Amino acid sequence: MSNESPRIKLLEREAVTPDAAALYDTLLAQRGVVPNMFKALAYSPDIAKGVAGFLKPLLSDSALQGWYKELVAVRISILCESEYAIRAHSISARKKGASEAQIAGVRDFENGPYSEKEKMGFRLADRLHRGARDVDDSFYRELQSAFSSTELVELFLTAAAFEMFPRFIDGLRIPTTPIPPSPVPL
């Protein structure tokens, strides 16, 4: 995203409804910062809560590790050329246990520090970015040989979801969220 002005005013906590304020408090406690995306979504508190409710289980550890799903989101964000999303998901991947080498390797994942299974997930993200028809039956059989059905659902949904968010963020020119302050060492 360029240095252009946001197309919509970001709502600070004092300007939002009590429901949105409660979400801000939760996000601040979890992340150390309220992501600017949510400061735009707060215009519709029910949607903001729904998005937060959708993202939490999607990006948590479950059939697939949360750090890996964050890296899939980074891959899609790179393909969408979304500075905001690349930065946000890189920070989240790091917090969830991805190494610096794994985060840096997403751009050239075929040569990165990943298992063949993880590379297949990135290949799926690339194909879905081009269009679902690029996930032909032959490639899907390869995926089935590496991933369980539950993992496939998470992988497909992660890649598909992060096609939407960069378009929303960059279409409204939402600025990148400042990096949350680091806790002070004791």
Side-chain angles (χ1 to χ4, degrees):
M1 192 174 92
S2 70
N3 290 330
E4 298 175 274
S5 297
R7 288 182 163 155
I8 192 167
K9 180 182 177 193
L10 302 180
L11 297 176
E12 296 302 330
R13 190 181 187 289
E14 61 275 0
V16 301
T17 66
D19 282 348
L23 176 60
Y24 278 34
D25 294 344
T26 299
L27 292 167
L28 186 59
Q30 291 171 346
R31 301 176 184 202
V33 67
V34 177
N36 284 344
M37 179 179 84
F38 283 96
K39 291 179 179 181
L41 286 170
Y43 282 96
S44 182
D46 288 341
I47 291 175
K49 287 189 318 188
V51 167
F54 170 71
L55 291 176
K56 186 173 181 174
L58 179 64
L59 294 173
S60 294
D61 289 346
S62 47
L64 295 172
Q65 294 294 306
W67 64 264
Y68 178 65
K69 292 184 280 188
E70 292 284 1
L71 292 180
V72 170
V74 170
R75 181 65 190 166
I76 292 293
S77 300
I78 289 167
L79 296 171
C80 290
E81 300 177 10
S82 176
E83 177 187 328
Y84 179 111
I86 293 166
R87 181 176 171 184
H89 292 291
S90 294
I91 291 169
S92 293
R94 186 176 295 110
K95 286 182 180 178
K96 293 176 182 178
S99 71
E100 292 304 318
Q102 289 171 317
I103 295 166
V106 174
R107 287 189 187 276
D108 183 20
F109 67 85
E110 292 292 357
N111 295 307
Y114 309 108
S115 68
E116 183 57 30
K117 178 178 178 176
E118 291 164 346
K119 289 177 184 180
M120 286 183 68
F122 291 129
R123 288 181 204 125
L124 170 65
D126 283 15
R127 286 177 182 235
L128 281 177
H129 178 72
R130 292 189 304 265
R133 71 185 148 276
D134 278 9
V135 183
D136 59 29
D137 290 340
S138 175
F139 182 65
Y140 188 76
R141 282 190 295 279
E142 287 180 52
L143 290 168
Q144 284 182 304
S145 71
F147 293 95
S148 71
S149 294
T150 304
E151 289 173 324
L152 285 170
V153 166
E154 289 185 18
L155 184 59
F156 271 81
L157 189 56
T158 299
F162 292 101
E163 288 286 339
M164 175 187 72
F165 291 112
R167 287 174 168 81
F168 170 75
I169 291 162
D170 294 341
L172 287 175
R173 298 183 186 149
I174 297 171
T176 57
T177 302
I179 295 174
S182 299
V184 177
L186 297 176

